[in-house]
Each structure stands twice: as C-alpha cells, then as structure tokens.
Amino acid sequence: MYRQQKLKRLLEGICPRGVKEREPLSPYTTIRIGGRADWLIEPKNISEIKQLLETARAENIPWFVLGRGSNLLVSDRGLRGMVFHLSTPRPPITIKGFKNGQHLLEVEAGFPLSKLVRFGIENRLRGLEFLAGIPGSMGGAWAMNAGSYGKEIKEITAYLIILSSEGRMIRKGKKELGFAYRSLKLEPGEVILSGGIKLSSGEAESIQKETLKLWSQRRAAQPLNRLSCGSVFKNPPGDFAGRLIEKTGLKGVQRGGAQISSRHANFIVNQGGARAADVLYLMNLIRARVREQSGVLLEPEVRLWGCSLKEI
Ligand SMILES: Cc1cc2nc3c(=O)[nH]c(=O)nc-3n(C[C@H](O)[C@H](O)[C@H](O)COP(=O)(O)OP(=O)(O)OC[C@H]3O[C@@H](n4cnc5c(N)ncnc54)[C@H](O)[C@@H]3O)c2cc1C
C-alpha cells in the first residue's frame, strides 16, 4: 500500500492531472474490451515521457504504449504496470521542406490517421489515400506498418524519432527501420515520438476521389458499424486469412458477446458485453479449424495485451 501511494505521488509529480489509477482500458480500445490498468498516464510532452520511463525503470514496473487502441485485445484481468496514452503536442504537423518533387512533413505519433488524411486532401498532398478508414494513430500505424490496398506506411516514411527505453532520442532513417508485413522491429520499451513522411503534390479533387473510392471499398467489405479491432489474423504468404476462415464455415459463430463477423470472416465483433476470453476462444477455434483444413497456422495481427492464444 505504502509503495502504491509513493508511486502515485511520484507519477502525479511528473504528470499533474494526467494520472489515472486502476483505469478501465475498454473505452480506450475500438473493440471496447479490457480490464483495468494499474496506471493510465497521459504525458503531455517528451520531458514527461522521459521522466515516466525513468520512474518505470527505477521502480521495475512494466509499461505499454497505447495509440488509439484499434489493434488491441486487452485481457479481462487488465494490465499490471503503466500504460502511456500519447497525446498530440501542438503543432501536430510541421512542414520540413520540399525536395525532388516531394514534400517532407513531420507528424507527431499521437496524431489520428483520419485527421492526417483530411489534411492531405485540404493541402493537395497525394500519398495518404490508402490510410482512409484506418482508425489508428500515426504511432500505431508505424508500429504496425499499417497498410491497405497494396500500400504500407513504410512506403511514405522517411525517418522516425524514437525514444529509447533509457530515455535517449534516436532518429532512424528508413533504411535502419525494420519494417515488415504488419510490424516494425522496435527494441523493448522504445516509444515512437514522431516521424517524417514524404508526399507529392496533386489535385484536391482527384485526391478526394481516390480517398472516397478506397473508403467505399472498405465500407462494402468490412463491418465498420460494429465494434472490432480490425483484422484479427495476418494474411499468410500468398493467401488471405479471411478466405481461409470463410472456408471453415465459421462466419457468424458466437461466443458470449463476441461473433466472427458475418460480413468479413477475419473480423471478430463485440455485439455487446464481449470479454477478451470470448474473443480468444473464437481466435483459438479459427486457428485450429484453419490448421486442420488448410494446413496453415494463422498468426495474430491484433496485439494481445496480458493474454495469449493456446499453443497449437
Ligand atoms: C475497423 C478497422 C479497420 C482497420 N483496417 C486496417 C487496415 O486496413 N490496415 C491496417 O494495417 N490496419 C487496420 N486496422 C488496425 C489498426 O487500425 C492499425 O493497426 C493501426 O495502425 C493501429 O493504430 P493505433 O494507434 O490504434 O495502435 P494501438 O492499437 O493503440 O497499438 C497497436 C500497437 O502499436 C503500438 N504503438 C502504438 N503507438 C506507439 C508508439 N507511439 N510507439 C511505439 N509503439 C506504439 C502499441 O504498443 C501496440 O503494440 C483496422 C482496425 C479497425 C478497428
């Protein structure tokens, strides 16, 4: 108890008004699932993040970085440790220059992709259209190498500014960044603070048209009006997880408040009151059936916090 109070004083000293104790995490995720975090902290600047990392290290407390929670499944038991919810310092976007026909913009990690896409249209900047409808933050998009319709965020990324777990700011150019399909190699405890993206000029009307086209395709294929965490499994090489799941006939199967979407087999939706245990049950069922039927072991795309899948 004494340790908890001491820690509370320490954390509130670093982030006045930004510390929440025993905070439920479900409202911070798009699937609205998850128990309480010991600490949910909203640092306002780099200095606060640095001090928080120092405290976590000194007190030997695990920490997690939360973006907009659109690719997360958090355990019903919640998380022991600190969850850093990054806000967006002002200005969220800095124009750095124009070279070889391309604009270089630096964007803060907490900035929502939806706002960046709108910024692109308003400023006649081409290259962000494929991000329309992905409900994450820039930090989350970099950490996941988010992508759609054959494009990934790595393609427009020039560099990232990363805070190491020891509190050092590192600038990593594209070649040093380990982007792969739906992942970026980060050292344990590293936090992406911001990054540079390269965009070309275009006509507002054609950028808007392309954005709307991709958005409509997404709306037709995905259950966007339901609570979800996006695609649950990664596509295996040369195939689609959705196709393999559909083949098993599991579309529409429910467990508790969770359902394998009848719109898109690679989505699990929260129909109300779903628990992480329900989603994990369905994920285990899907993996077992796909393995049995197609010989493919699906790997989760959604990040599991405080919970895990069965070994098969
Ligand atoms: C309806 C729907 C549709 C989706 N469609 C797509 C799609 O088409 N393509 C696609 O790729 N994804 C899609 N997603 C998944 C998700 O939106 C993306 O992965 C998104 O980039 C995650 O961003 P986030 O801010 O929500 O990250 P979170 O879910 O908060 O976090 C995801 C991971 O990123 C890490 N992270 C977040 N911010 C940082 C940071 N600053 N530094 C270090 N690590 C960080 C977290 O620790 C965690 O491991 C979809 C999700 C939904 C709900």
Side-chain angles (χ1 to χ4, degrees):
M1 195 50 154
Y2 170 73
R3 184 171 183 251
Q4 192 78 353
Q5 280 167 1
K6 180 186 145 205
L7 193 57
K8 187 173 183 189
R9 271 203 305 277
L10 258 174
L11 296 175
E12 286 177 346
I14 300 169
C15 285
R17 292 185 301 281
V19 178
K20 292 173 184 158
E21 198 176 349
R22 303 283 306 143
E23 178 75 353
L25 287 174
S26 56
Y28 297 88
T29 68
T30 52
I31 195 167
R32 298 286 186 273
I33 289 177
R36 292 171 190 271
D38 288 346
W39 306 98
L40 188 289
I41 309 174
E42 300 187 315
K44 282 180 197 51
N45 51 47
I46 296 169
S47 150
E48 289 187 2
I49 303 176
K50 276 188 177 175
Q51 291 177 67
L52 288 168
L53 293 187
E54 249 166 54
T55 308
R57 261 197 331 273
E59 301 288 326
N60 201 17
I61 298 170
W63 75 84
F64 305 81
V65 187
L66 172 69
R68 294 179 77 78
S70 63
N71 200 56
L72 291 180
L73 181 67
V74 179
S75 158
D76 298 313
R77 292 185 303 276
L79 288 178
R80 307 293 66 87
M82 300 181 196
V83 175
F84 301 145
H85 190 209
L86 298 191
S87 59
T88 315
R90 299 278 141 194
I93 302 174
T94 316
I95 313 280
K96 297 297 239 186
F98 181 76
K99 207 171 153 190
N100 301 331
Q102 292 208 295
H103 303 267
L104 179 63
L105 276 62
E106 197 166 287
V107 188
E108 297 295 327
F111 197 56
L113 294 172
S114 56
K115 290 192 179 169
L116 185 67
V117 170
R118 204 174 318 140
F119 180 89
I121 296 172
E122 285 165 4
N123 293 278
R124 301 193 296 276
L125 295 169
R126 181 175 289 288
L128 298 165
E129 299 85 339
F130 72 101
L131 295 172
I134 303 182
S137 64
M138 285 303 284
W142 278 314
M144 295 303 306
N145 188 20
S148 67
Y149 301 106
K151 283 202 160 176
E152 295 177 327
I153 199 155
K154 80 166 184 206
E155 291 164 42
I156 56 167
T157 300
Y159 62 87
L160 293 182
I161 311 273
I162 292 172
L163 191 64
S164 76
S165 59
E166 296 87 38
R168 273 183 312 118
M169 291 246 278
I170 315 162
R171 185 185 197 277
K172 284 193 185 176
K174 186 173 186 156
K175 286 193 186 135
E176 302 163 82
L177 290 166
F179 280 117
Y181 170 55
R182 294 296 174 270
S183 73
L184 167 67
K185 196 175 175 312
L186 288 171
E187 298 303 326
E190 284 188 334
V191 181
I192 304 167
L193 298 175
S194 59
I197 53 170
K198 284 183 171 175
L199 303 171
S200 52
S201 299
E203 290 296 318
E205 205 179 311
S206 78
I207 298 170
Q208 189 160 20
K209 208 169 146 195
E210 175 70 6
T211 308
L212 280 175
K213 190 185 92 188
L214 297 180
W215 167 248
S216 311
Q217 281 178 26
R218 179 184 292 279
R219 208 175 41 190
Q222 299 178 353
L224 297 186
N225 55 347
R226 311 299 289 274
L227 303 174
S228 80
C229 51
S231 295
V232 177
F233 294 104
K234 294 182 185 180
N235 288 326
D239 210 333
F240 293 97
R243 190 190 77 81
L244 295 173
I245 301 167
E246 190 149 356
K247 248 176 59 176
T248 62
L250 286 173
K251 253 184 165 181
V253 169
Q254 298 191 20
R255 170 81 173 191
Q259 185 195 41
I260 301 172
S261 167
S262 34
R263 168 80 66 94
H264 192 308
N266 199 18
F267 275 60
I268 293 179
V269 295
N270 179 358
Q271 299 193 294
R275 297 173 320 130
D278 300 329
V279 177
L280 290 170
Y281 175 91
L282 293 175
M283 289 178 73
N284 284 321
L285 179 66
I286 290 172
R287 278 182 112 205
R289 289 280 175 85
V290 169
R291 177 80 180 259
E292 213 172 86
Q293 203 178 67
S294 308
V296 174
L297 184 59
L298 292 177
E299 289 303 327
E301 176 169 327
V302 58
R303 295 284 168 101
L304 305 175
W305 279 9
C307 49
S308 55
L309 292 174
K310 273 195 205 151
E311 299 270 334
I312 56 171

